[in-house]
Amino acid sequence: MFDDRPPDATVRYRRTNAGWRVAVLPSTCKVGVHSLHKVGYLARVSEPEGVVRISCNACNENVDVDHFWVLTMHGPPPEAAELDDEPYRDVVPVMVDPRGRGRPPGTGPRGSAQG
């Protein structure tokens, strides 16, 4: 599940009335077909990389599907997390070949074009 793919977006945050910092994560799988509320998900934080990866339980079973979001974190760790698609409506996911063929066509290391 861990690789060098570019992040899809930055984690969106909100504050509760009590002042708690809450990470708002997408509630639909990266492919756009499953509700993470219904099928379940796994969220793993990598502090050294500064990212959280959110894997859809339903898509995870299909090895031919890019099944996890990669979101860049910023600031201190949140006290809680919740699922909501609204803050991510404008995000176009970066889809990669999960079978190890690398990044999407036209992208390479450091954003350079491939031939």
Side-chain angles (χ1 to χ4, degrees):
M1 180 160 112
F2 294 46
D3 58 23
D4 65 349
R5 73 184 64 204
D8 297 294
T10 300
V11 174
R12 309 310 202 248
Y13 298 91
R14 71 173 188 86
R15 290 257 177 214
T16 67
N17 291 339
W20 288 18
R21 187 167 189 248
V22 177
V24 181
L25 307 176
S27 62
T28 302
C29 71
K30 185 171 179 175
V31 179
V33 296
H34 301 112
S35 165
L36 299 182
H37 291 285
K38 291 182 182 176
V39 300
Y41 66 97
L42 176 64
R44 290 196 177 171
V45 172
S46 173
E47 288 187 39
E49 295 175 283
V51 299
V52 60
R53 292 177 174 89
I54 303 115
S55 175
C56 170
N57 286 351
C59 291
N60 189 28
E61 304 208 1
N62 183 348
V63 296
D64 291 332
V65 173
D66 181 3
H67 68 275
F68 63 94
W69 289 99
V70 179
L71 304 175
T72 304
M73 301 179 306
H74 59 83
E79 286 85 9
E82 65 187 26
L83 299 176
D84 184 0
D85 279 334
E86 192 56 37
Y88 297 93
R89 292 281 180 216
D90 63 333
V91 172
V92 177
V94 177
M95 302 303 282
V96 298
D97 187 331
R99 292 166 291 194
R101 290 189 212 135
R103 297 172 184 259
T107 63
R110 296 175 300 279
S112 62
Q114 293 180 3

